[in-house]
Amino acid sequence: MEKITSRENAKIKYACRLASSGAFRRSEGKFLAEGRKLCPELCRGAALETLFCTEAALEKCPELAGLPGEHYLVEDHVAEKLADVGTHQGVFGIFRTPVHTLDEAKTGGRYLALERVQDPGNVGTLLRSAAAFGFDGVLLSDGCASVFAPKTLRASMGAAVRVPVMEVGAMPAAIAALRAKNITCLAAALYQSQPLSAARPGYPGGVCVVIGSEGQGLTEETIAACSGTVRIPMTDRVESLNAGIAGSILLWHFREESL
């Protein structure tokens, strides 16, 4: 296995650029992931092209040698350059980004739609919850945190490639496309909303839960495009819930019936 000893190696620079630039990830159709557990997990839904490992990581997890793609040993100071945070596990992979479109949405399915949810931790958490509760796909509007940025990938724990993620641009038009397939679209909003307990879990044509940004919530246009609105009943001791928590509660309510 070839060993990389320089932080200025072209492959290392390329990987670092994938980690730092969403525009570069989109243009290349690839992303960088980090972690002894995360990289093998991502192999279940994305093609691994290149794996970088330190000798210590390979000794601790020899099964990494069985993963696909080109493999390179890297020295610790090179791994430090690849790492998104100060501490790392010495395992990094370049994967091809799975591509999904709104055309894949089907009548009878369950979907999550995020409008301008900017926090990577919230987006990752919601992807993980969508996978846990049997949802068929996640729609992302413009302005959402990048699914394949390092922080989002860590929060999603591999769910980013286990649930189809569709970048849809403007959310109202995407909602209209779902409703044309008889999918009921429910906005998480306070105005003229029904409590979650009043919204039945099952919809024959399918359901889409629509969640807005942490600060502003959903736009008026997106709320108007939806079939209705729901809210999570709460005490007056808090003003609102974290988007990841609120969304997960909604996803649990509309979870796959067999769960």
Side-chain angles (χ1 to χ4, degrees):
M1 191 183 300
E2 183 180 338
K3 190 170 188 177
I4 296 176
T5 60
S6 171
R7 291 163 64 101
E8 301 306 310
N9 179 278
K11 293 182 184 297
I12 301 302
K13 286 185 172 182
Y14 180 84
C16 290
R17 193 173 174 192
L18 287 175
S20 63
S21 171
F24 189 63
R25 284 193 295 272
R26 285 189 293 273
S27 67
E28 293 294 296
K30 300 175 186 178
F31 65 92
L32 180 73
E34 173 183 341
R36 287 195 298 265
K37 185 176 180 180
L38 181 58
C39 285
E41 189 70 24
L42 289 170
C43 286
R44 296 169 58 184
L48 175 63
E49 287 196 344
T50 309
L51 186 73
F52 303 101
C53 292
T54 62
E55 290 184 1
L58 202 54
E59 288 175 8
K60 191 166 187 176
C61 301
E63 63 272 16
L64 291 170
L67 294 179
E70 295 182 332
H71 289 201
Y72 296 91
L73 283 175
V74 294
E75 293 193 345
D76 287 341
H77 71 282
V78 177
E80 288 170 4
K81 181 171 183 177
L82 289 169
D84 181 53
V85 292
T87 58
H88 61 81
Q89 299 177 347
V91 181
F92 310 86
I94 294 177
F95 294 83
R96 287 202 295 272
T97 306
V99 178
H100 299 279
T101 68
L102 192 56
D103 292 337
E104 297 175 37
K106 60 185 184 297
T107 301
R110 288 177 180 80
Y111 298 93
L112 166 66
L114 304 181
E115 183 177 47
R116 302 183 305 179
V117 177
Q118 298 172 340
D119 182 82
N122 283 336
V123 172
T125 295
L126 289 166
L127 286 169
R128 193 175 178 184
S129 294
F133 300 133
F135 276 64
D136 298 296
V138 178
L139 286 62
L140 297 184
S141 79
D142 293 332
C144 282
S146 171
V147 170
F148 298 103
K151 290 180 181 179
T152 315
L153 285 169
R154 280 199 303 275
S156 77
M157 293 296 291
V161 300
R162 290 200 297 273
V163 178
V165 176
M166 312 161 195
E167 295 185 354
V168 298
M171 190 56 71
I175 296 299
L178 293 182
R179 293 190 66 184
K181 299 181 181 185
N182 294 319
I183 298 171
T184 299
C185 299
L186 297 174
L190 295 176
Y191 181 66
Q192 293 185 337
S193 61
Q194 61 178 333
L196 186 57
S197 58
R200 66 184 188 273
Y203 289 86
V207 67
C208 178
V209 177
V210 189
I211 297 169
S213 71
E214 296 85 357
Q216 288 77 40
L218 292 167
T219 61
E220 292 181 5
E221 293 80 6
T222 291
I223 294 173
C226 287
S227 315
T229 57
V230 294
R231 68 180 185 277
I232 300 170
M234 297 183 296
T235 69
D236 59 3
R237 287 178 282 184
V238 293
E239 181 180 339
S240 63
L241 290 172
N242 168 282
I245 294 172
S248 296
I249 292 171
L250 292 164
L251 293 172
W252 179 85
H253 183 79
F254 296 104
R255 65 195 180 277
E256 190 175 356
E257 292 174 0
S258 61
L259 295 179

